[in-house]
Amino acid sequence: MALNLSELKSSEIKNLDLLAKQVVEGFITGMHKSPYHGFSVEFSEHKLYNKGEDTKHIDWKLFAKTEKLYTKKYEEETNLRCHIIIDNSSSMHYPLKKEQNLNDLNKIGFSVVAAACLIELLKKQRDAVGLSIYSNSYEYYAPEKGSDRHRKMLTNQLEILLKKPKETKTTDTYQYLHEIAQKIHRRSMIFLFTDMFQPSRDNEELFDALRHLKYNKHEVILFHTFDRELEYNFDFENTPKKFVDVETGEQINLYANSIKESYQKEIGNFFENLKNKCLQYKINYVPVNVRDNYNKILTTYLVSRNKF
């Protein structure tokens, strides 16, 4: 069911809405050919027939294809409320790119395209969707709505985010996750795209903010974005390099191999601790390498929606 980015007509991101449609259609086609039939997007429109129910709503055409009895579901039965949150701090703009294209995305580029794909899939599922963007300020907020006009507005905002020049911005994730949690009153499914890097606060405050998102029985999915080759494996040439913190501006000169072993140990501990905290708080933790495709994102949504 894999969809290779290179299979799309163009690697250059010109129309985010059209691109999202291409990715989602390719994903759906792949699912229909895969063994994961239970997670097909069709489940938003049908439910298994239970003995004793009125037979007038049975979809006989679907029965002819699947040899299983399904009844048609109506829109008011299927609507969910979903909210997408994107971290727009400077660390999310790493690795620096002169131009974003599908075969060479940084963390913010990946998050924006993934969010657009989610919005397209949410449209097919007839779910209401909202959007929050933050860095060192609460940059954008739109509540959950289900109209086409609203979705186009969100996609346009994502396009602005993709094309906006990078600025030096620190991350106040803990603060704005608390604010966002206070805005979402009705039970919702929350998708958070962030690298979880925050130099100004300790991890416990960050974990407390994540826990706040679970308030009111929200379903929270954390898409932990990172570049595996550079940020996890620390695969740099062993030549003298200047490493600059894109949020604080701190600099250090060193050979990559001189700290590679200790760096990998620290980053591994950070990932493991984050994973365990999410498990403790019953948050769905999904590590996402920005060099991968979007199937993991979309499948996670369908599975979570089915459980929700």
Side-chain angles (χ1 to χ4, degrees), residues 3-6 8 10-16 19-20 23 91-117 158-159 161-163 193 225-231 288-295 297:
L3 171 68
N4 294 324
L5 299 180
S6 59
L8 296 177
S10 173
S11 62
E12 187 178 354
I13 301 175
K14 294 181 179 179
N15 186 316
L16 191 57
L19 172 60
V23 172
S91 64
M92 287 289 287
H93 290 259
Y94 182 82
L96 300 180
K97 305 290 181 184
K98 290 183 179 179
E99 183 180 89
Q100 301 273 9
N101 67 71
L102 282 180
N103 298 313
D104 189 24
L105 290 168
N106 59 17
K107 289 181 285 186
I108 194 66
F110 182 93
S111 300
V112 164
V113 177
C117 293
L158 291 175
E159 285 186 333
L161 186 61
L162 191 65
K163 298 173 183 178
F193 290 89
T225 57
F226 64 99
D227 186 308
R228 178 173 292 279
E229 181 179 323
L230 300 180
E231 293 184 311
V288 178
N289 178 16
V290 297
R291 297 171 188 261
D292 292 340
N293 59 44
Y294 303 98
N295 290 345
I297 305 287

Side-chain angles (χ1 to χ4, degrees), residues 42-238:
E42 291 178 329
F43 77 75
S44 71
E45 300 172 2
H46 299 87
K47 64 180 179 181
L48 281 170
Y49 171 76
N50 293 317
K51 190 175 181 180
E53 289 183 336
D54 194 331
T55 58
K56 70 179 180 180
H57 296 304
I58 291 178
D59 189 331
W60 295 107
K61 290 183 179 180
L62 190 58
F63 172 75
K65 295 178 181 179
T66 65
E67 296 186 357
K68 293 182 180 180
L69 291 174
Y70 290 90
T71 57
K72 294 180 180 179
K73 295 176 70 175
Y74 296 97
E75 188 166 350
E76 62 267 24
E77 294 180 275
T78 62
N79 284 155
L80 293 179
R81 298 168 62 85
C82 303
H83 200 89
I84 298 172
I85 307 171
I86 297 179
D87 175 0
N88 188 35
S89 60
S90 292
S91 64
M92 287 289 287
H93 290 259
Y94 182 82
L96 300 180
K97 305 290 181 184
K98 290 183 179 179
E99 183 180 89
Q100 301 273 9
N101 67 71
L102 282 180
N103 298 313
D104 189 24
L105 290 168
N106 59 17
K107 289 181 285 186
I108 194 66
F110 182 93
S111 300
V112 164
V113 177
C117 293
L118 277 175
I119 290 172
E120 176 65 22
L121 197 50
L122 288 163
K123 174 183 175 181
K124 290 181 176 295
Q125 300 297 110
R126 297 179 299 205
D127 293 337
V129 58
L131 176 66
S132 287
I133 301 170
Y134 72 90
S135 57
N136 59 344
S137 63
Y138 201 156
E139 298 179 5
Y140 183 82
Y141 169 76
E144 301 80 21
K145 295 182 181 179
S147 68
D148 286 339
R149 180 180 179 182
H150 178 74
R151 293 189 186 95
K152 288 180 180 178
M153 181 184 72
L154 299 188
T155 304
N156 287 340
Q157 186 62 38
L158 291 175
E159 285 186 333
I160 292 172
L161 186 61
L162 191 65
K163 298 173 183 178
K164 192 175 182 181
K166 189 194 80 69
E167 300 174 2
T168 301
K169 297 178 180 178
T170 55
T171 315
D172 289 328
T173 294
Y174 76 98
Q175 177 182 344
Y176 297 108
L177 291 188
H178 282 305
E179 287 192 23
I180 293 167
Q182 291 171 356
K183 284 179 174 288
I184 306 174
H185 301 294
R186 293 177 59 185
R187 187 176 180 228
S188 303
M189 188 178 295
I190 299 173
F191 305 101
L192 171 59
F193 290 89
T194 177
D195 56 13
M196 293 297 289
F197 291 147
Q198 180 168 285
S200 61
R201 296 280 172 164
D202 62 40
N203 288 335
E204 289 305 316
E205 288 184 301
L206 196 53
F207 295 145
D208 284 343
L210 284 176
R211 185 167 53 184
H212 192 182
L213 284 179
K214 286 290 293 182
Y215 189 67
N216 283 340
K217 298 182 180 179
H218 299 311
E219 180 77 15
V220 179
I221 299 98
L222 168 59
F223 292 119
H224 183 199
T225 57
F226 64 99
D227 186 308
R228 178 173 292 279
E229 181 179 323
L230 300 180
E231 293 184 311
Y232 192 90
N233 296 335
F234 208 66
D235 285 338
F236 294 93
E237 293 180 2
N238 193 36

